[in-house]
Amino acid sequence: MKKMIDYSVYLVLDPELCGGLDGMLRVTEAAMAGGAGVVQLRAPQWKKRQWLDAARALQPLCRQGGAVFVVNDQVDVALAVGADGVHVGQQDLPVAVVRELMGPQALIGLSVNHAGQLAAVPSEADYLGLGPVFATSTKKDAAPVLGLAQLAGLAAATSLPTVGIGGIAPANAGAVFAAGVDGVAVVSAICTAADPAAVTRELYALKGHTA
Amino acid sequence: MKKMIDYSVYLVLDPELCGGLDGMLRVTEAAMAGGAGVVQLRAPQWKKRQWLDAARALQPLCRQGGAVFVVNDQVDVALAVGADGVHVGQQDLPVAVVRELMGPQALIGLSVNHAGQLAAVPSEADYLGLGPVFATSTKKDAAPVLGLAQLAGLAAATSLPTVGIGGIAPANAGAVFAAGVDGVAVVSAICTAADPAAVTRELYALKGHTA
């Protein structure tokens, strides 16, 4: 399955920006219709019962829509719902531990914020989130902004698939793809869009796909 | 193993009150020397890497000292270190889900704050934490205070082992035991004690053990 993943538009669901679970389901359906190939649930402000309820609804929805469903940080929630994968940051559980818990088939992503972290990426990681590319308001403990030049340097220095994340929207996504990443991870530009399917389609086309 | 558990003094480790990981290890050793039979790691302010590092150190220490080691809320961390058990609250993963993830041998505890929750305790729970018995400053999202009369009512209404929690110290622990619980779960009275072993021994004796 992993080889078939289309990282071009990687939706990161924020419950506040989406307006709760119903909004997340609506945004997910629309984004998949627009071409999103990966959907991540990220809700650091939530207790686990909320994570579980949301993940239980999102996993089958994503499977039906052909997208990979990834849980941020909470490996127990991912295990409980049989999620396709987990995305972790540098302060979360180590990738090797996540791999052991999730098994060989799971998709495991790791956030990388600078070259030092890139040099230390464990072999168990399947893809990398590189960022923040631009300034972002949706992640409160974000690392310093990379900018496009550093993003290009990181993307060139790894053989793993990469997605840029942080402040990416249709207006700047073309430049992000030009930096050499395989996809753009997008939070607010899709979650808060009046037409999330249209925005996703626009982002998808910017990679050079015929949308 | 579950039948041999001595709930009399149940230490809940708070990293801030203990002074970080080194302090938690020191307090744990002392409390076990004083008779603590269960040790729980609870660090809601921590990222998972910190949880993992602490749990990796605490699990073997507890095993060596004859105490059961329980992780609060983070089932993935418990799985990663092979912890003896998990304690969950009402907004955490459901007990049935925790049981499925942790397996039949794990000790699983559930916090219960009122009679309605007691009536809904899943069959997969091994013991209950009843509280808050008194006002507490160590849990920011605590439920309304039970008091001793309500505590006694809850303890009498279940066949599961129970521990009281919330504001318990040597000065009031005798009354808590008199309410019918099997143990007292203690945070600050042990974590901040000049002599955690002595305080634990004092609490242990208040149950009626010959200390």
Side-chain angles (χ1 to χ4, degrees):
Chain A
M1 182 196 76
K2 287 186 200 177
K3 287 184 182 157
M4 295 169 55
I5 295 172
D6 184 348
Y7 290 97
S8 306
V9 182
Y10 181 126
L11 170 63
V12 179
L13 290 167
D14 179 294
E16 283 172 17
L17 292 179
C18 288
L21 178 54
D22 286 349
M24 289 196 294
L25 299 176
R26 183 184 52 77
V27 168
T28 297
E29 280 200 294
M32 290 191 297
V38 186
V39 176
Q40 180 191 125
L41 172 62
R42 184 176 76 185
Q45 67 276 49
W46 271 3
K47 303 282 281 183
K48 298 230 195 194
R49 191 69 64 102
Q50 287 177 287
W51 278 90
L52 183 71
D53 291 344
R56 273 182 173 157
L58 285 163
Q59 175 63 63
L61 186 69
C62 289
R63 192 149 293 168
Q64 193 180 355
V68 173
F69 176 60
V70 169
V71 175
N72 187 290
D73 184 26
Q74 312 286 16
V75 179
D76 42 14
V77 173
L79 289 169
V81 304
D84 298 316
V86 165
H87 186 92
V88 287
Q90 297 284 330
Q91 296 182 286
D92 301 334
L93 289 177
V95 168
V97 170
V98 178
R99 174 63 68 202
E100 198 165 342
L101 293 172
M102 292 289 294
Q105 298 305 316
L107 183 75
I108 300 180
L110 175 67
S111 295
V112 163
N113 311 116
H114 56 70
Q117 291 173 355
L118 190 69
V121 168
S123 60
E124 295 90 350
D126 292 313
Y127 77 90
L128 303 178
L130 305 178
V133 180
F134 305 114
T136 172
S137 58
T138 57
K139 193 163 194 297
K140 285 168 186 67
D141 56 347
V145 165
L146 284 177
L148 292 166
Q150 281 195 77
L151 176 69
L154 292 177
T158 179
S159 58
L160 290 174
T162 56
V163 294
I165 186 166
I168 301 174
N172 59 27
V176 176
F177 282 122
V181 295
D182 299 287
V184 290
V186 174
V187 193
S188 39
I190 295 178
C191 288
T192 66
D195 187 343
V199 170
T200 305
R201 211 170 283 123
E202 196 179 349
L203 290 164
Y204 197 84
L206 285 165
K207 192 181 175 184
H209 300 283
T210 46
Chain B
M1 182 194 75
K2 288 184 198 177
K3 287 184 184 159
M4 296 169 53
I5 294 172
D6 184 349
Y7 290 98
S8 306
V9 182
Y10 181 127
L11 170 64
V12 180
L13 290 167
D14 180 292
E16 283 173 17
L17 292 179
C18 288
L21 179 53
D22 286 347
M24 289 196 295
L25 299 176
R26 184 184 51 78
V27 169
T28 297
E29 281 200 294
M32 290 191 297
V38 187
V39 176
Q40 179 191 126
L41 172 62
R42 183 176 79 186
Q45 67 276 48
W46 271 2
K47 303 284 280 183
K48 297 230 196 196
R49 191 69 63 101
Q50 287 176 286
W51 280 89
L52 183 71
D53 291 343
R56 274 182 173 158
L58 286 163
Q59 176 63 61
L61 185 69
C62 289
R63 192 148 294 167
Q64 194 181 353
V68 173
F69 177 61
V70 170
V71 175
N72 187 291
D73 185 26
Q74 312 286 16
V75 180
D76 42 14
V77 173
L79 288 168
V81 305
D84 299 315
V86 165
H87 186 93
V88 287
Q90 296 283 331
Q91 296 182 285
D92 301 333
L93 289 177
V95 169
V97 170
V98 178
R99 174 62 68 202
E100 199 165 340
L101 293 172
M102 292 290 294
Q105 298 305 316
L107 183 75
I108 301 181
L110 174 66
S111 295
V112 163
N113 311 117
H114 56 73
Q117 290 173 355
L118 190 69
V121 168
S123 61
E124 295 89 350
D126 292 312
Y127 76 91
L128 303 178
L130 306 178
V133 180
F134 305 114
T136 172
S137 58
T138 57
K139 193 164 194 297
K140 286 167 186 66
D141 56 348
V145 165
L146 284 177
L148 291 167
Q150 281 195 77
L151 176 69
L154 293 176
T158 178
S159 58
L160 290 174
T162 56
V163 295
I165 186 166
I168 301 175
N172 59 27
V176 176
F177 282 121
V181 296
D182 300 286
V184 289
V186 175
V187 193
S188 39
I190 295 178
C191 288
T192 66
D195 187 343
V199 171
T200 306
R201 211 170 283 123
E202 197 178 348
L203 290 163
Y204 197 83
L206 285 165
K207 194 181 173 185
H209 299 283
T210 46

